[in-house]
Amino acid sequence: MEKHATDSPSSLQQTPSYHIRTFGCQMNVHDSERMAGILAEAGYRSTDDPEAASLIIVNTCTVRDKADQKALSDLGRLRLLKKGEGEKILAVTGCMAEREQERLHRIMPEIDLVAGPAQVRNLLPMIDRLRAEKRFQLGRDFDLPEMTTPPAIRPPGVTALVTVQEGCDKSCSYCVVPRTRGPERSRPIASIVSEVRGLVSQGYREVTLLGQNVNGYGKGAPEGEGFADLLLALDRVEGLLRIRFTTSHPSDLDLPTIGAMARSSKVMPHLHLPVQSGSDRMLRLMERGYTLEEYREKIRHLRAAIPDVALTTDLIVGFCEESEEDFQRTLEAVREFRFDGAFCFIYSPRPGTPAYGREGLPDRSVSLDRFRRLDDLLTGMVLEKNRGRIGATEEILVERTDEASRTFSGRSPHFRTVRGRLSDPGPLPSPGETARVAVESCTKAGLAGVRI
Ligand code: SAH
Ligand code: SF4
Ligand code: F3S
């Protein structure tokens, strides 16, 4: 019988191992899952211990300065692990890798390999070249749209991330993403459907479709298939219970997509639609490509088709030239649209973006104050909305259970976190099942109640 590499302790020591650390958005999380798939197929095993790993990958984000600082301080610690050990590889991938390129190796010579987000599939050839040439490797190329094999290694669970679209053709003046993720590319529907079928057969029950501009899916595709077609195709996948997607751009939210959301039983009634600001002057300076009235019009259509839809958003405060009056427009917009949640950010100037170096940046203390006021308003609103659910019934997809406390948790269709307990001594629902919970209490973070 053939002997396997893991049979003897001595060969076990030679099995290469990897340790991946991930920063940034879900797209990066999924890129790490893909890299794990590639490495596992090549015989690497995963380790939680960077010291023991023969390959350390830091998958970085660069959307705001804070993201850069986090990755750099992590790398500053990890580089020390390389001392005296020639074989260990320290690799930097993701959006900061794409933006900084060889500069990373110049400031930290321990970094052996730098590869942008589109280089995931080139990881192994780059490692081979590094071993052969014994010199720093740099990879960048956006012309690599489709990758499904080897399969990504996802954490076992109920919900899976699936990248359907990558890159961004917009040019918001504050944003680095078009430079780090390149132009928009979409995967063919058939390939996505086949991946999702595979996920369902492994036990996943929900997918979150990912794209920088996910509802721009298929733009310019010769087949003319758009995001609505993708949603409807996935709606027919047997055994799949729920479909979510992020992030959508207001300009690309079209009536067919709204119609598909309304018609499909699996697409959840939740849309994350970043508005960024409530001031038309700011939207123009941000080069977002819509006015507040145009955003409002989209929401009108959306709420006409799906009256109870949950709406979440992203907001930036302290952008160049933002006055108190502009900021007031943002507060008004938040009150008007009654968002179910929002990610708020203080503008972070990014080198290489159109807005970089523009005059009129509010004082840091002013931006911080606006951030707090906005956050207070949103927190109050979310709490009020959650209180409004007390007495209602939520159907959740169970993600976790806890025997000790006899509770289970998951998300409602509207993406609220719900914790349920049992009123009887029966068995807990299993992850992947749906359960109905009568809501009894809430915090700003979610709802709690009893199974019915
Ligand atoms: N493609 C998505 C999100 C990209 S980044 C979209 O257009 O909505 C996620 C969020 O980060 C953005 O929506 C924006 O609110 C925020 N963001 C991007 N660049 C930023 C910057 N330079 N400073 C502060 N926030 C930023
Ligand atoms: Fe950045 Fe704008 Fe593209 Fe979103 S749409 S990724 S904010 S440039
Ligand atoms: Fe960050 Fe890149 Fe995502 S900059 S937010 S990891 S697309």
Side-chain angles (χ1 to χ4, degrees):
M1 203 181 109
E2 207 180 71
K3 260 188 139 343
H4 287 284
T6 48
D7 281 352
S8 73
S10 62
S11 62
L12 187 76
Q13 278 164 12
Q14 284 152 23
T15 307
S17 57
Y18 69 90
H19 173 80
I20 306 183
R21 302 159 83 93
T22 308
F23 297 90
C25 63
Q26 287 171 305
M27 186 76 90
N28 251 21
V29 172
H30 183 56
D31 286 346
S32 291
E33 294 170 350
R34 278 187 177 167
M35 289 192 279
I38 291 173
L39 291 166
E41 198 183 64
Y44 283 72
R45 64 186 169 80
S46 141
T47 171
D48 290 338
D49 177 10
E51 217 158 327
S54 39
L55 166 66
I56 302 176
I57 298 177
V58 182
N59 196 11
T60 60
C61 171
T62 190
V63 73
R64 286 168 289 276
D65 182 58
K66 220 190 214 158
D68 279 357
Q69 297 316 321
K70 273 195 209 161
L72 286 172
S73 81
D74 204 38
L75 282 164
R77 279 189 302 272
L78 292 168
R79 67 196 285 203
L80 303 177
L81 300 179
K82 280 207 58 170
K83 290 256 156 62
E85 206 196 322
E87 286 301 294
K88 193 194 280 293
I89 296 174
L90 180 56
V92 185
T93 60
C95 290
M96 190 176 77
E98 183 61 42
R99 211 161 69 81
E100 296 290 337
Q101 306 201 4
E102 57 272 275
R103 212 176 73 85
L104 284 170
H105 174 69
R106 278 206 297 277
I107 56 171
M108 294 189 200
E110 292 89 348
I111 295 172
D112 303 293
L113 187 159
V114 170
Q119 289 294 312
V120 168
R121 75 193 50 214
N122 278 345
L123 192 60
L124 290 177
M126 284 182 75
I127 291 173
D128 288 345
R129 268 204 305 280
L130 172 69
R131 292 228 160 92
E133 298 172 9
K134 305 222 175 312
R135 64 185 170 87
F136 171 70
Q137 298 292 319
L138 176 71
R140 57 167 324 203
D141 179 6
F142 289 122
D143 195 21
L144 299 161
E146 163 80 336
M147 192 188 101
T148 51
T149 51
I153 296 188
R154 297 168 167 90
V158 170
T159 121
L161 304 174
V162 177
T163 296
V164 301
Q165 180 276 338
E166 251 194 286
C168 180
D169 291 345
K170 306 265 188 286
S171 49
C172 305
S173 60
Y174 52 82
C175 183
V176 290
V177 172
R179 284 154 202 83
T180 66
R181 292 271 170 181
E184 290 180 17
R185 293 94 71 202
S186 300
R187 291 175 54 193
I189 289 187
S191 158
I192 299 165
V193 167
S194 132
E195 184 177 9
V196 171
R197 283 209 186 102
L199 290 168
V200 169
S201 71
Q202 290 168 49
Y204 294 97
R205 290 291 170 264
E206 176 180 274
V207 289
T208 301
L209 311 179
L210 300 180
Q212 263 80 40
N213 187 9
V214 74
N215 60 337
Y217 173 88
K219 232 186 305 166
E223 310 79 32
E225 287 174 321
F227 191 57
D229 302 300
L230 174 63
L231 291 179
L232 293 173
L234 290 173
D235 193 49
R236 292 191 291 269
V237 172
E238 239 172 87
L240 181 69
L241 298 180
R242 293 182 169 190
I243 301 167
R244 301 185 184 277
F245 55 89
T246 197
T247 297
S248 303
H249 191 284
S251 305
D252 290 325
L253 179 65
D254 56 12
L255 294 177
T257 296
I258 293 175
M261 287 178 73
R263 247 178 30 241
S264 147
S265 59
K266 294 179 185 171
V267 178
M268 290 292 104
H270 168 216
L271 184 68
H272 184 72
L273 197 66
V275 64
Q276 313 295 3
S277 170
S279 152
D280 278 337
R281 201 172 72 89
M282 285 295 110
L283 290 174
R284 210 167 42 246
L285 289 171
M286 290 175 171
E287 295 168 55
R288 283 290 287 177
Y290 54 83
T291 62
L292 192 68
E293 180 51 29
E294 283 162 345
Y295 185 90
R296 185 178 287 128
E297 190 57 24
K298 305 267 172 162
I299 301 306
R300 255 187 229 129
H301 284 298
L302 180 73
R303 287 185 167 152
I306 313 164
D308 70 335
V309 71
L311 182 66
T312 54
T313 201
D314 291 350
L315 295 157
I316 297 177
V317 298
F319 190 61
C320 314
E321 292 185 40
E322 186 187 68
S323 65
E324 176 60 25
E325 201 190 321
D326 293 311
F327 175 64
Q328 287 296 334
R329 297 281 96 80
T330 296
L331 295 178
E332 279 163 22
V334 168
R335 287 189 204 103
E336 173 186 343
F337 296 119
R338 306 199 51 71
F339 292 112
D340 294 87
F343 296 115
C344 305
F345 307 103
I346 294 178
Y347 169 56
S348 169
R350 307 311 285 139
T353 58
Y356 188 69
R358 275 188 200 164
E359 311 267 304
L361 208 60
D363 277 352
R364 181 81 189 159
S365 59
V366 171
S367 296
L368 264 171
D369 177 62
R370 287 179 191 160
F371 179 86
R372 284 198 201 104
R373 285 150 69 200
L374 182 59
D375 192 54
D376 285 349
L377 174 64
L378 281 157
T379 305
M381 236 161 71
V382 169
L383 193 58
E384 196 185 313
K385 285 211 170 193
N386 284 354
R387 279 201 195 109
R389 300 303 298 164
I390 293 177
T393 299
E394 296 283 9
E395 181 164 88
I396 72 167
L397 177 62
V398 177
E399 291 180 37
R400 271 172 293 276
T401 58
D402 181 45
E403 268 304 336
S405 62
R406 307 268 305 141
T407 58
F408 55 93
S409 60
R411 299 271 189 173
S412 75
H414 300 93
F415 208 53
R416 295 194 176 92
T417 302
V418 181
R419 217 171 138 77
R421 64 185 168 80
L422 301 189
S423 59
D424 55 62
L428 284 167
S430 301
E433 287 176 8
T434 53
R436 281 154 57 81
V437 174
V439 179
E440 299 168 325
S441 64
C442 74
T443 63
K444 64 178 182 183
L447 314 174
V450 62
R451 182 172 69 176
I452 47 175

